[in-house]
Amino acid sequence: MCGIVGYIGSRDAYPILIKGLKRLEYRGYDSAGVALLNGKTSIYKKKGKVSELENHVRGKDTSSNLGIGHTRWATHGEPNDLNAHPHHSEKGLFTIIHNGIIENYAELKKSLTEQGITFYSETDTEVLANLIEYIYTSQKVSVEIAVGLALQKVIGAYGLVVISDEDPNLMIAARRSSPLVIGLGDNEYFIASDATPIVEYTDRVIYLNNDDIALIRRDELVLKNLTSDATKVNIQTVDLGISEIEKHGYDHFMLKEIFEQPRSIMDTFRGRIRPDTNEIRLGGLHEVKDRLVNANRIVVIACGTSWHAGLVGEYLIEDLARIPVEVEYASEFRYRNPMIGPDDVVLAISQSGETADTLAAIHLAKEAGALVLGICNVAGSSISRETDAGVYTHAGPEIGVASTKAFTAQVTVLTMMAIMIGREKGLLSDERFAELISELNDIPGKIEKILEQNDEFQRIAKIYKDATNALYLGRGVSFPVALEGALKLKEISYIHAEGYPAAEMKHGPIALIDQKMPVVFIATRDKSYEKIVSNIQEVKARNGNVIAIVTEGDTSIKGMADHVIEIPETDEAMVSIPSVVPLQLIAYHIAVMRGCDVDQPRNLAKSVTVE
């Protein structure tokens, strides 16, 4: 959560900070602020979005070549001007921006209060600012040492940047379990939560590791750990163009990202599936393929939309590769005593590669000796560095908070993994293997055809935009699609929606069905088709409104459902990818019609880097 940006160099810092905060606003948008150091630190902050901060700062002195900025997703303290970052220490010697949670902040605050220090906000971040100042003044140490000693007392997660009037040419960045990246320019440095604010200025970056502290001056960067030992500076190149993080004429990033799915899916399998030679090659898994193929079981750990993708993967891997799969919420996995051993493979899925619960679950699995693999979308992310091996999706930056193209890219990777393992185990005939590769290769074109129906999705959305509840039903591999469709609707339109296995409808949810509730069925032709038709009839018998996703040419359901959306005929193993697209677009249009902020829905942030 939260967006951090910083600059030190010869340029005017304020425009860089504001532009960076706008690009990071998907990480948090409760409040925003900047601190500019020009002899003395000036702080400007405001509740609301970055545009509110801009209005607040207009006409004020912003001259500075060193500054930090922050856009907040509230953890400690409600969103208001006082709790907004940056925070300064009581005497104003230190100013800090922070992402994460200081778990022992109450204990530290009590100790500092006993020393006579006054607090003005409800945040854990102000506690850290005062702790640094207290150590600095009481122990008569340097700014650098004061920050390091303070962080040694901290329990919890942080990505933070500190500046001080006592050393006005120094910026200190530190990281533990919350991402920070430093961009390298010509006698200038850029700091951010992720690379999106940096790519306009440089493609050379350093990803901080846990317990790294970066001491940054205009002409020097020194990397140390908490015990002040120097660590190796590993400079990487970011493959991210500025055009990839612009809307390009779309009203919202979410709509742009939905329409990018044919390309993002193709980019994800490009060079990995080879229809001419009937091969799948996942280079990131090459060294561990034998262990993966011979796994006792696979345990998927993920959160939110990535968890839904993992459920699709469970169906595919068990069906095509005959390996038992369990799909766990990372947040639950990490807090129980799971039975994991060296014969297990743990597969962590995360769009950002920074999800806090998933990272904690990875550490638990590695301690148990399991092979830990990752599927993520962000090169250089924590999950990509802390897993034993893995596969990148190539969805490109996903700015909309509600995940769309990341889901279909993750399912694409899981599909390739299932096919590859099945082939290695000799479970797929040459004919079936060729069919699956050909089908996957055809998916982008099928989604293009679905996107051409956008006007129809908009028409359906208009009918149901004032609904207060919705039910999404599917069987088999379409059940996770129902979960994902319901999640999209509730995330961005604030309509209560639930996804269920269609067969479970009679065990409770059927009591909710009336003329006011839309019921969405994923009812494509597969081995459960006749059963899902029966479920539709049960809903219609109770005067429910049915929206059905069906296979192109279906006439049976057309005579029953209130609305039918046709998708191209697709192999059952891959039908989850095209069938989710209409659900994404219907949710999008409903949210727009209800006046909701589609890209930045209330209370949500893109990357959940805190518990």
Side-chain angles (χ1 to χ4, degrees), residues 182-302:
I182 300 174
L184 285 64
D186 185 11
N187 289 327
E188 61 180 358
Y189 294 93
F190 308 83
I191 304 171
S193 304
D194 62 50
T196 53
I198 290 174
V199 292
E200 181 174 349
Y201 309 102
T202 181
D203 63 354
R204 299 171 65 240
V205 301
I206 298 168
Y207 294 99
L208 295 190
N209 294 311
N210 273 342
D211 294 332
D212 274 351
I213 298 179
L215 309 173
I216 309 167
R217 301 182 186 274
R218 287 172 176 80
D219 57 354
E220 182 184 40
L221 184 149
V222 176
L223 208 57
K224 297 185 176 183
N225 58 28
L226 280 180
T227 57
S228 294
D229 295 324
T231 60
K232 183 181 178 181
V233 175
N234 181 22
I235 300 173
Q236 300 184 43
T237 300
V238 174
D239 183 19
L240 175 63
I242 191 69
S243 64
E244 294 183 73
I245 53 176
E246 303 292 345
K247 289 182 184 174
H248 293 296
Y250 287 92
D251 290 337
H252 299 92
F253 279 109
M254 182 180 178
L255 185 62
K256 171 178 176 273
E257 288 155 8
I258 291 171
F259 273 81
E260 284 178 338
Q261 287 177 112
R263 190 193 72 189
S264 61
I265 292 167
M266 188 178 296
D267 286 346
T268 295
F269 68 62
R270 189 193 308 275
R272 292 168 166 172
I273 66 169
R274 304 182 179 187
D276 55 334
T277 57
N278 282 350
E279 289 181 284
I280 289 182
R281 291 185 181 179
L282 300 175
L285 301 180
H286 179 71
E287 297 295 327
V288 299
K289 187 163 67 172
D290 288 345
R291 195 168 168 191
L292 175 60
V293 168
N294 295 305
N296 179 54
R297 63 172 175 163
I298 295 173
V299 179
V300 176
I301 50 175

Side-chain angles (χ1 to χ4, degrees), residues 473 475 502-507 510 513 519 521 531-544 546 560:
L473 301 172
R475 285 176 177 260
E504 290 296 304
M505 178 183 64
K506 294 188 287 293
H507 296 272
I510 198 168
I513 293 171
V519 182
F521 282 91
K531 300 291 187 183
I532 206 95
V533 169
S534 296
N535 296 137
I536 292 173
Q537 290 170 331
E538 290 163 352
V539 170
K540 291 309 298 177
R542 289 157 179 82
N543 296 316
V546 172
M560 306 175 213

Side-chain angles (χ1 to χ4, degrees), residues 269-489:
F269 68 62
R270 189 193 308 275
R272 292 168 166 172
I273 66 169
R274 304 182 179 187
D276 55 334
T277 57
N278 282 350
E279 289 181 284
I280 289 182
R281 291 185 181 179
L282 300 175
L285 301 180
H286 179 71
E287 297 295 327
V288 299
K289 187 163 67 172
D290 288 345
R291 195 168 168 191
L292 175 60
V293 168
N294 295 305
N296 179 54
R297 63 172 175 163
I298 295 173
V299 179
V300 176
I301 50 175
C303 302
T305 286
S306 296
W307 186 78
H308 296 159
L311 287 177
V312 176
E314 177 183 19
Y315 283 95
L316 297 178
I317 294 170
E318 290 193 344
D319 182 36
L320 301 177
R322 307 307 294 158
I323 297 175
V325 179
E326 297 176 16
V327 184
E328 299 257 12
Y329 283 114
S331 55
E332 291 296 315
F333 181 88
R334 65 178 291 195
Y335 283 118
R336 58 183 185 81
N337 189 20
M339 294 179 64
I340 297 291
D343 292 330
D344 295 322
V345 171
V346 172
L347 180 58
I349 308 175
S350 167
Q351 188 281 138
S352 66
E354 301 293 350
T355 309
D357 286 324
T358 306
L359 280 164
I362 286 170
H363 298 153
L364 181 63
K366 291 185 79 169
E367 288 172 3
L371 173 67
V372 183
L373 309 178
I375 296 176
C376 64
N377 191 42
V378 181
S381 62
S382 297
I383 287 177
S384 70
R385 286 181 286 141
E386 296 190 24
T387 47
D388 297 308
V391 183
Y392 284 116
T393 58
H394 292 293
E398 189 177 64
I399 307 299
V401 167
S403 183
T404 52
K405 65 177 181 175
F407 172 78
T408 51
Q410 288 167 350
V411 173
T412 300
V413 168
L414 289 163
T415 303
M416 289 189 291
M417 287 181 65
I419 298 170
M420 181 190 74
I421 298 169
R423 180 64 165 175
E424 288 290 323
K425 294 181 73 171
L427 299 173
L428 300 176
S429 66
D430 291 346
E431 182 181 8
R432 180 60 176 149
F433 186 70
E435 284 176 358
L436 290 168
I437 288 183
S438 177
E439 184 68 58
L440 187 54
N441 200 54
D442 290 342
I443 290 291
K446 293 180 179 183
I447 293 178
E448 291 278 10
K449 194 170 182 180
I450 293 168
L451 293 171
E452 292 172 2
Q453 302 178 58
N454 188 35
D455 288 346
E456 174 63 10
F457 306 149
Q458 193 168 13
R459 188 187 70 80
I460 294 171
K462 189 173 183 179
I463 295 170
Y464 296 106
K465 66 181 178 63
D466 296 319
T468 54
N469 296 281
L471 190 60
Y472 288 69
L473 301 172
R475 285 176 177 260
V477 76
S478 293
F479 163 52
V481 177
L483 292 172
E484 179 61 12
L487 178 61
K488 290 289 92 66
L489 187 68

Side-chain angles (χ1 to χ4, degrees), residues 39-68:
K40 183 175 177 60
T41 301
S42 299
I43 295 177
Y44 308 110
K45 52 186 183 175
K46 198 70 178 171
K47 176 185 175 182
K49 297 191 176 181
V50 177
S51 58
E52 298 293 326
L53 173 64
E54 279 189 289
N55 292 334
H56 175 65
V57 173
R58 192 167 286 116
K60 296 181 172 63
D61 181 18
T62 60
S63 56
S64 173
N65 304 125
L66 186 158
I68 55 178

Side-chain angles (χ1 to χ4, degrees), residues 97-259:
I97 52 176
H98 165 228
N99 180 18
I101 293 178
I102 307 300
E103 295 175 6
N104 62 333
Y105 84 100
E107 175 189 336
L108 295 172
K109 185 174 184 177
K110 181 177 182 292
S111 176
L112 292 169
T113 301
E114 290 171 353
Q115 300 300 320
I117 293 171
T118 302
F119 292 85
Y120 299 95
S121 78
E122 304 169 84
T123 68
D124 54 340
T125 304
E126 187 188 10
V127 174
L128 182 53
N130 277 314
L131 177 61
I132 295 169
E133 184 177 82
Y134 176 74
I135 292 172
Y136 177 76
T137 55
S138 63
Q139 298 189 24
K140 308 296 182 185
V141 294
S142 67
V143 168
E144 170 194 339
I145 291 175
V147 172
L149 290 174
L151 292 179
Q152 289 181 39
K153 296 178 179 293
V154 163
I155 299 172
Y158 55 78
L160 59 86
V161 187
V162 180
I163 59 176
S164 174
D165 290 3
E166 299 292 280
D167 195 342
N169 295 308
L170 174 67
M171 183 179 287
I172 299 177
R175 174 251 164 96
R176 178 186 292 164
S177 301
S178 190
L180 276 182
V181 57
I182 300 174
L184 285 64
D186 185 11
N187 289 327
E188 61 180 358
Y189 294 93
F190 308 83
I191 304 171
S193 304
D194 62 50
T196 53
I198 290 174
V199 292
E200 181 174 349
Y201 309 102
T202 181
D203 63 354
R204 299 171 65 240
V205 301
I206 298 168
Y207 294 99
L208 295 190
N209 294 311
N210 273 342
D211 294 332
D212 274 351
I213 298 179
L215 309 173
I216 309 167
R217 301 182 186 274
R218 287 172 176 80
D219 57 354
E220 182 184 40
L221 184 149
V222 176
L223 208 57
K224 297 185 176 183
N225 58 28
L226 280 180
T227 57
S228 294
D229 295 324
T231 60
K232 183 181 178 181
V233 175
N234 181 22
I235 300 173
Q236 300 184 43
T237 300
V238 174
D239 183 19
L240 175 63
I242 191 69
S243 64
E244 294 183 73
I245 53 176
E246 303 292 345
K247 289 182 184 174
H248 293 296
Y250 287 92
D251 290 337
H252 299 92
F253 279 109
M254 182 180 178
L255 185 62
K256 171 178 176 273
E257 288 155 8
I258 291 171
F259 273 81

